[in-house]
Amino acid sequence: MLEKALVRLKEELAALEARLEEERKALEALSPLPVYWRRVKCGKERCRKCPHGPYPYLKVKKGGRWRWKYLGKGWQPPEGFVRPREFLEALARYKALLRRREALLERLAEAERALR
């Protein structure tokens, strides 16, 4: 009975390792880019269409302060672009799988010790 549990744990570990590899490749393909779409005023005193946009801006830190960098009206996101939140969620899923693998490895070691 303990041997069957050990075999099940090894199968579960192999499946988890395969899923971790898939998640790692998917995570590597993502690139978080902190792009913000902002509506901005043009500065004309009587403009009825203000604010204009939304236009893409990158938030960068210069001289210890955050600045907005305009990316251009026709800017298109690069391949693999995701919002930072989506990247962090994918990273959290990957880390949860790593924790699950560690727990599984501990259970596997306990089962092997019990068989000896």
Side-chain angles (χ1 to χ4, degrees), residues 10-25:
K10 287 182 179 180
E11 289 172 354
E12 189 177 342
L13 182 62
L16 186 59
E17 292 286 350
R19 183 151 178 234
L20 269 168
E21 184 64 22
E22 290 172 11
E23 289 287 332
R24 188 187 57 77
K25 286 180 182 177

Side-chain angles (χ1 to χ4, degrees), residues 77-89:
E79 186 84 19
F81 164 81
V82 293
R83 289 186 169 87
R85 179 180 294 150
E86 294 171 30
F87 178 79
L88 292 175
E89 288 170 354

Side-chain angles (χ1 to χ4, degrees), residues 31-38 56-61 66-69 71 75 78 81-85 87:
S31 52
L33 194 56
V35 173
Y36 298 85
W37 294 86
R38 300 181 63 206
Y57 282 83
L58 189 61
K59 197 173 183 181
V60 293
K61 199 167 193 175
W66 288 100
R67 305 279 184 203
W68 293 106
K69 181 181 177 188
L71 294 175
W75 179 82
F81 164 81
V82 293
R83 289 186 169 87
R85 179 180 294 150
F87 178 79

